[in-house]
Amino acid sequence: MDKKVYLETFGCQMNVVDSERIISLLAQIGYRQVDSAEEADLVLLNTCSVRDRAERKVYGHLGRFKPIKDRRPELIVGVGGCVAQQEGEKMLAETPYLDIVFGTHNIHKLPEMVLKVEGREGRFHETDFLDKETRLTLFPNRSEGDEVCRFVTIMQGCDNFCTYCVVPHVRGREISRSSAEILDEVRGLAADGMKEVTLIGQNVNSYGIQDERELSFAALLRAVADIDGIERIRFTTSHPKDMSDELIACFADLDKLCHHIHLPVQCGSDPILTKMNRGYSREEYLELVEKLRKACPDIRFSTDIIVGFPGESEADFEQTLDLVEQVRYADAFTFLYSPRPGTAAAEMEETLAPEVKQARFDRLIELQQQISETFWQDDVGKVLPVLVEGESKKGEGQYFGRTTWNRIVNFPGSPKLVGRTVMLRIVKNFRNSQLGEIVSD
Ligand code: SAH
Ligand code: SF4
Ligand code: F3S
């Protein structure tokens, strides 16, 4: 029988990769992916609980499936990912139309759970964390595919326990995948024509640290760069406290490494950085930025910043604004602090009025917008290499790719360019993309 699954994914790259794995596991029991819940036999949400807003969004989306289930009681509804991990069985108890809850370590059990629900055996939840050895056998390996760019998971979980963050609580302890396996996967993808790889993990810089026989992250990057066919390498996310000189040197030496780094700072004030348990000072962060600029003069930075952490004073916030001006990020993702269950910061007293928090947030966004625009304006007229990833949603005959700085460029092109690097002149800027024209291919 032809069964259909509809899957919605929220959150970070980890969830994007997990969702690909969910689809391939479900294909083994006869499910094919469709793009509307209305026509599906199974609907799934892969969820994120990193901020209150992300979590509420999930509950909103889940509610949309209820009327469908009222009409078609045989519809199977499941929730996975970080909200599922956090809430567990409680979700089943509170949501009568929900059949399956599966946690971040239990994706491999999903097919079995779906088959049981199909057989009317009940409703199920699996949210136990697995031990390290079992997890190491479960890393997704997708050494096939015809895309131009892929994420490759190199580690899972996080041990940093930044005091605001739910990730260590919902993803478990940090483990690194073996470099032999990672390199095999990348070789397989390169053989299929893939050109760009993004190595992903919550804190890629600490890759291999727990295992002295393993490569360091910098050595892993160099090994990936040695693979024929791979033209571009990116990685995310980097933690400033684990940014080694060896890694910084990669930006000077490796032609394939893109000139962009996402280096979350979270805040520009030392007392708040300490309360966040980030493990670096403002000064150390600024030194890193300088070293990276020295190794790679045109490198561009992006960052994450939390506004309104408990106890943040006006002076603390001004330190953040000042740091943003000093670093000159090309892009910043800014978030209003929200307390997360089980985290240390959730126990800290919040004294800021919501309107003060919001006003600071707006000031930061405005400053960052001005800085981002100077980068974009500066790009106009430049001729830049862009790896063409595919057809763009902007309309017929439009294609897209990214600059080394990770900005999306749309341009009039043709299918034969997909997978090739073309030289594009940047002609116009938009908030999330640029418009280019071909100079040479
Ligand atoms: N591992 C990555 C990203 C983690 S989550 C890192 O260490 O940078 C992505 C971003 O969400 C974080 O960088 C942080 O800026 C934000 N974030 C996490 N918890 C938050 C909270 N409780 N409130 C507001 N923003 C939060
Ligand atoms: Fe969260 Fe900190 Fe780990 Fe990033 S490094 S996932 S912010 S605990
Ligand atoms: Fe969200 Fe989970 Fe990623 S909480 S940010 S989807 S690890």
Side-chain angles (χ1 to χ4, degrees):
M1 195 186 90
D2 175 35
K3 297 182 286 188
K4 302 182 197 98
V5 54
Y6 171 75
L7 167 66
E8 257 178 74
T9 307
F10 302 85
C12 66
Q13 293 92 339
M14 319 303 144
N15 269 9
V16 172
V17 170
D18 285 349
S19 282
E20 288 180 10
R21 182 139 167 270
I22 289 171
I23 292 301
S24 82
L25 285 170
L26 290 172
Q28 293 168 17
I29 58 163
Y31 280 89
R32 113 184 122 78
Q33 191 173 14
V34 292
D35 50 21
S36 110
E38 293 290 338
E39 57 171 317
D41 305 290
L42 166 64
V43 293
L44 295 173
L45 295 181
N46 193 8
T47 62
C48 173
S49 60
V50 77
R51 288 170 295 273
D52 181 40
R53 232 182 242 226
E55 193 176 307
R56 265 182 287 153
K57 216 153 107 189
V58 167
Y59 281 101
H61 283 272
L62 190 57
R64 285 185 0 236
F65 301 145
K66 185 176 181 298
I68 310 179
K69 183 123 176 172
D70 285 343
R71 267 181 279 127
R72 288 194 286 125
E74 68 284 4
L75 176 74
I76 303 174
V77 181
V79 175
C82 298
V83 177
Q85 185 62 47
Q86 188 179 286
E87 305 287 302
E89 198 177 356
K90 205 172 109 207
M91 280 193 105
L92 280 185
E94 286 175 1
T95 325
Y97 55 93
L98 187 59
D99 302 291
I100 295 171
V101 174
F102 60 106
T104 54
H105 287 193
N106 295 283
I107 290 170
H108 61 296
K109 298 213 182 111
L110 183 62
E112 187 189 319
M113 294 164 88
V114 170
L115 289 173
K116 281 194 192 155
V117 178
E118 282 179 6
R120 300 270 175 271
E121 287 179 45
R123 304 160 74 212
F124 299 92
H125 68 96
E126 291 275 2
T127 49
D128 286 348
F129 275 156
L130 303 177
D131 62 42
K132 187 175 168 186
E133 275 60 43
T134 317
R135 282 172 74 201
L136 282 171
T137 64
L138 292 172
F139 266 104
N141 187 0
R142 301 151 307 130
S143 51
E144 55 187 50
D146 55 6
E147 296 99 316
V148 175
C149 311
R150 283 286 273 257
F151 292 140
V152 170
T153 311
I154 65 164
M155 54 153 23
Q156 288 182 344
C158 182
D159 285 350
N160 288 321
F161 289 95
C162 302
T163 54
Y164 51 80
C165 185
V166 81
V167 171
H169 306 271
V170 290
R171 290 271 161 177
R173 294 294 63 74
E174 178 177 312
I175 56 165
S176 294
R177 184 184 185 192
S178 88
S179 51
E181 234 180 81
I182 296 166
L183 294 169
D184 266 354
E185 176 171 342
V186 179
R187 275 188 215 102
L189 291 167
D192 277 351
M194 196 210 41
K195 301 284 192 288
E196 178 180 309
V197 63
T198 303
L199 305 179
I200 63 163
Q202 288 294 355
N203 178 14
V204 288
N205 309 21
S206 69
Y207 172 83
I209 280 180
Q210 292 167 348
D211 184 349
E212 57 194 31
R213 290 157 309 173
E214 230 352 310
L215 298 180
S216 65
F217 180 56
L220 179 69
L221 272 184
R222 288 180 191 275
V224 171
D226 279 341
I227 296 175
D228 287 340
I230 298 297
E231 293 174 12
R232 279 182 163 189
I233 306 169
R234 301 178 190 275
F235 57 85
T236 197
T237 301
S238 297
H239 196 303
K241 80 173 166 51
D242 295 314
M243 193 85 207
S244 65
D245 287 345
E246 193 196 1
L247 179 54
I248 293 171
C250 289
F251 281 97
D253 305 342
L254 295 180
D255 293 342
K256 294 180 180 181
L257 190 58
C258 289
H259 293 187
H260 168 248
I261 184 165
H262 184 63
L263 196 61
V265 67
Q266 311 299 357
C267 178
S269 147
D270 281 336
I272 298 292
L273 285 170
T274 305
K275 276 178 86 177
M276 286 177 162
N277 190 31
R278 286 293 286 177
Y280 53 84
S281 66
R282 166 194 178 88
E283 215 40 55
E284 284 163 341
Y285 185 93
L286 288 169
E287 270 167 32
L288 273 182
V289 168
E290 203 163 303
K291 278 193 199 169
L292 281 156
R293 285 220 162 101
K294 211 164 161 204
C296 179
D298 73 341
I299 195 169
R300 290 192 185 175
F301 294 84
S302 59
T303 200
D304 292 344
I305 297 173
I306 298 177
V307 175
F309 186 82
E312 182 191 80
S313 66
E314 176 62 23
D316 291 321
F317 176 66
E318 280 170 10
Q319 288 267 293
T320 299
L321 292 179
D322 184 70
L323 180 131
V324 164
E325 280 190 271
Q326 279 197 49
V327 177
R328 300 192 66 76
Y329 294 104
D331 208 355
F333 301 89
T334 43
F335 307 107
L336 280 170
Y337 168 74
S338 62
R340 303 284 62 218
T343 62
E347 308 296 315
M348 299 177 194
E349 199 191 345
E350 280 200 77
T351 48
L352 273 183
E355 51 287 5
V356 175
K357 234 163 135 176
Q358 187 64 47
R360 286 183 189 168
F361 185 77
D362 294 344
R363 276 160 75 194
L364 177 59
I365 298 233
E366 200 187 315
L367 171 64
Q368 182 53 47
Q369 182 66 22
Q370 284 168 13
I371 298 171
S372 295
E373 276 171 15
T374 60
F375 281 96
W376 306 341
Q377 292 312 329
D378 194 46
D379 286 348
V380 173
K382 276 190 185 142
V383 176
L384 302 171
V386 167
L387 172 62
V388 185
E389 293 178 36
E391 251 179 299
S392 138
K393 294 188 193 94
K394 298 278 170 199
E396 189 123 347
Q398 297 292 311
Y399 286 76
F400 79 100
R402 275 171 298 151
T403 62
T404 189
W405 300 311
N406 214 24
R407 278 276 278 169
I408 290 181
V409 189
N410 294 293
F411 67 100
S414 65
K416 72 173 190 338
L417 298 178
V418 175
R420 300 230 310 251
T421 296
V422 296
M423 297 307 289
L424 296 182
R425 177 175 293 109
I426 306 300
V427 291
K428 204 171 169 185
N429 281 296
F430 301 97
R431 174 76 194 89
N432 295 314
S433 64
Q434 294 173 312
L435 181 67
E437 60 188 21
I438 295 184
V439 174
S440 70
D441 54 28

